[in-house]
Amino acid sequence: MDGKIWMAAALGLLVILGVTAYNMYQENKYRRKVREQFGHSDKDALLEGQPDSVRDGRGGAGLGSWQNKEGRQGKPLVVVREADVSKNTAEEHAAARAADLFAGAERPSEKPETPPVKPVGMLVMEEFGGDGLDVEVEEDEIVLLEEPEAEGGKFAFSAVPSPAREQEKTARRERLLMDLDDMVKQDLPWFEPRFDYMAYISLREPQEFRTLPRFSGRHRFFIAGCTMDGLWQEVEPVPNVYYQGFIVSLQAISRRGLASVQELEDFGAQVDAFAARLDAGIKLMDIAAFLDTARPLDELCERVDQTIAMHLVSRSTISGSELRAAMERAGFALSHDGAFHLEEDGRTLFSVVTMDNSAFTAALLASQHYKGFSILFDIPHVPVGSRNFDRFMDLTVRFSSELGLDLVNDKLEELSMEWLKDVGRYVAARQEEMQKVGIEPGGELAQRLFS
């Protein structure tokens, strides 16, 4: 009798061991499958991985916790601004540079710090249920990356005087309806001299526009006109509205990078041809002096132009209809760009995208299953304050709980509380940099610079 009991116990133990081994095998198989499907970077986010930039055409395809602004996967700390090619021929214009235009700043050196990551499982709900993250950043605190330093300790972009103008074609100046020098002094809400390259046009006779002029190029342009009663407004093709002068600008800094000397020269040539057709006088900004001001600002924009991505992965799959229902309960709406967006006051706060660069569509969500998704925090576009980052984390934890998803890094490891707090401090430091130069995160200038 005792022998039978021992045999039954041994058999039961073997069954238990067999089930455990099979579960371990299935878990490892699942991890390999997800890695093969989505890829992974060679370094953990916020650790020693060197950042990639899509400015030079490179782009990762991993599950890094930092993504580019279009929601496409990238390795840690991916920035989304193209290469600065404005330096290629800047030396040709050295003689025309204005003195004391800007307190120059050296290009920062980025050396990623390596804070430890301590796995603590899914304790996020408990930690973020209280007062939120403490994201106040001391002046000399090192947060994730060493703070770049410029000459004098910080950038000083505010109150930059308008650069000298390099061209002026006013053969019959006495007949111009507006004084070009007075036009240069205009402080208008549509223009920012730190990154808008401007041309000033004064007419000899009032001009009505039935169609707007078009200027070719990859950068945004804007035209403001002064009516005959002295009011400045955006130029529109409205009958019986006559103008006496124009200011035409090219936005030289955006997520496309900084405009090159050639691009600025091409824009100036197009505006010059436009003025010639109107028999008008024209003044153009000095290119080299303008770039002396714009280049340090572009370097700062490149540094802060990042998106935080939290990855939520299922151990099996989740249905698209279930995913969409969870998004809509949280206030997200499916957009034409194939992502879910949470908007407030007409601007996007957070976005949810797929993990394989595909678009969410109503048809696919109704019929397809997903391995997971990423929720994005676009640093320059989200208004400053720890409240917004806490809200971002609360939503992440909510989706994790409702849909039974794991919050993981690029190696499919659960994120530690120390890592999450470091991210909060990192966001605060980058947004503080923006505020120091008068660019409010989520504000009008930020919307222009990071578009």
Side-chain angles (χ1 to χ4, degrees):
M1 188 71 176
D2 292 340
K4 292 182 178 180
I5 293 175
W6 281 107
M7 287 181 64
L11 181 61
L13 180 61
L14 287 173
V15 171
I16 293 172
L17 291 174
V19 171
T20 302
Y22 179 76
N23 287 340
M24 292 175 65
Y25 167 77
Q26 288 291 90
E27 179 71 15
N28 290 332
K29 181 179 178 182
Y30 158 75
R31 290 180 179 274
R32 287 196 303 271
K33 183 177 179 180
V34 174
R35 286 193 181 99
E36 290 170 358
Q37 182 173 355
F38 299 119
H40 59 86
S41 65
D42 58 343
K43 298 290 183 180
D44 191 14
L46 305 185
L47 290 180
E48 297 176 355
Q50 293 297 322
D52 276 355
S53 170
V54 300
R55 278 192 169 205
D56 55 7
R58 297 196 309 268
L63 282 172
S65 292
W66 311 80
Q67 289 188 334
N68 67 37
K69 304 305 174 294
E70 298 174 352
R72 295 183 176 87
Q73 300 300 325
K75 293 185 180 180
L77 302 181
V78 171
V79 294
V80 297
R81 308 176 72 82
E82 299 176 6
D84 177 6
V85 294
S86 65
K87 298 180 181 180
N88 295 346
T89 57
E91 291 77 5
E92 300 173 4
H93 303 273
R97 292 183 178 177
D100 299 328
L101 236 190
F102 177 72
E106 296 178 359
R107 180 180 294 275
S109 60
E110 298 184 0
K111 299 179 180 179
E113 197 180 353
T114 58
V117 176
K118 303 176 181 178
V120 294
M122 292 303 296
L123 299 178
V124 185
M125 180 74 78
E126 184 174 291
E127 283 288 329
F128 285 92
D131 297 330
L133 294 175
D134 176 15
V135 295
E136 294 183 2
V137 181
E138 297 297 330
E139 183 68 21
D140 57 351
E141 181 182 0
I142 297 178
V143 181
L144 305 183
L145 298 178
E146 292 183 2
E147 294 292 340
E149 296 182 358
E151 291 183 10
K154 61 182 67 174
F155 291 106
F157 292 107
S158 58
V160 176
S162 297
R165 274 52 191 183
E166 69 172 346
Q167 296 183 36
E168 181 175 348
K169 296 188 178 181
T170 57
R172 291 166 286 157
R173 189 183 185 100
E174 69 281 356
R175 293 181 52 188
L176 297 178
L177 296 177
M178 300 186 71
D179 185 271
L180 289 167
D181 293 329
D182 289 341
M183 294 178 69
V184 171
K185 299 174 184 177
Q186 292 289 330
D187 184 15
L188 301 176
W190 305 286
F191 306 112
E192 171 53 66
R194 293 179 293 177
F195 57 82
D196 285 327
Y197 178 75
M198 288 181 279
Y200 303 85
I201 299 173
S202 178
L203 301 175
R204 305 184 194 281
E205 296 179 359
Q207 177 70 49
E208 175 191 29
F209 278 100
R210 296 300 180 101
T211 59
L212 291 178
R214 303 295 299 176
F215 303 102
S216 63
R218 65 186 185 121
H219 294 272
R220 173 183 178 270
F221 69 89
F222 185 89
I223 307 176
C226 184
T227 61
M228 296 307 296
D229 55 5
L231 296 178
W232 285 94
Q233 64 183 40
E234 180 179 355
V235 172
E236 297 177 333
V238 178
N240 300 319
V241 175
Y242 288 85
Y243 297 96
Q244 58 181 320
F246 306 98
I247 299 177
V248 187
S249 73
L250 177 143
Q251 183 179 320
I253 299 177
S254 68
R255 280 180 167 163
R256 293 185 175 93
L258 178 60
S260 67
V261 172
Q262 186 62 54
E263 287 175 317
L264 297 179
E265 289 178 342
D266 289 345
F267 173 75
Q270 292 180 65
V271 177
D272 184 46
F274 169 66
R277 289 196 298 271
L278 299 176
D279 190 28
I282 182 173
K283 262 193 174 185
L284 295 170
M285 275 185 166
D286 174 71
I287 291 178
F290 171 77
L291 289 175
D292 282 346
T293 301
R295 187 173 290 116
L297 179 60
D298 179 64
E299 291 171 356
L300 180 140
C301 289
E302 182 177 0
R303 185 167 62 254
V304 303
D305 195 3
Q306 299 171 12
T307 288
I308 305 298
M310 296 294 181
H311 305 302
L312 292 153
V313 178
S314 172
R315 292 183 177 271
S316 56
T317 59
I318 54 174
S319 70
S321 57
E322 185 181 6
L323 188 156
R324 181 172 187 172
M327 294 295 124
E328 293 177 346
R329 284 195 299 270
F332 286 76
L334 182 61
S335 176
H336 61 84
D337 63 358
F340 288 94
H341 299 293
L342 178 64
E343 295 188 352
E344 189 174 86
D345 298 329
R347 58 189 171 191
T348 298
L349 282 183
F350 316 123
S351 302
V352 168
V353 299
T354 63
M355 300 179 70
D356 61 357
N357 297 338
S358 63
F360 285 120
T361 66
L364 289 176
L365 287 165
S367 60
Q368 186 168 299
H369 284 69
Y370 294 85
K371 277 292 185 182
F373 56 85
S374 299
I375 179 169
L376 310 180
F377 184 104
D378 192 336
I379 293 177
H381 283 274
V382 178
V384 72
S386 60
R387 179 184 66 87
N388 288 317
F389 188 78
D390 291 346
R391 184 179 178 186
F392 173 71
M393 288 307 311
D394 289 342
L395 286 168
T396 303
V397 172
R398 173 178 173 175
F399 293 144
S400 175
S401 176
E402 286 186 5
L403 300 173
L405 305 176
D406 294 332
L407 180 58
V408 300
N409 62 16
D410 61 327
K411 296 181 180 179
L412 301 182
E413 300 167 344
E414 284 186 324
L415 302 180
S416 71
M417 284 312 308
E418 190 64 29
W419 189 93
L420 295 170
K421 290 179 179 179
D422 283 343
V423 171
R425 297 188 186 98
Y426 184 86
V427 169
R430 300 290 76 74
Q431 292 190 329
E432 184 180 19
E433 281 191 88
M434 295 175 62
Q435 288 182 303
K436 285 180 179 179
V437 299
I439 302 171
E440 189 66 25
E444 183 178 347
L445 287 183
Q447 296 293 330
R448 286 184 58 195
L449 281 168
F450 303 97
S451 62

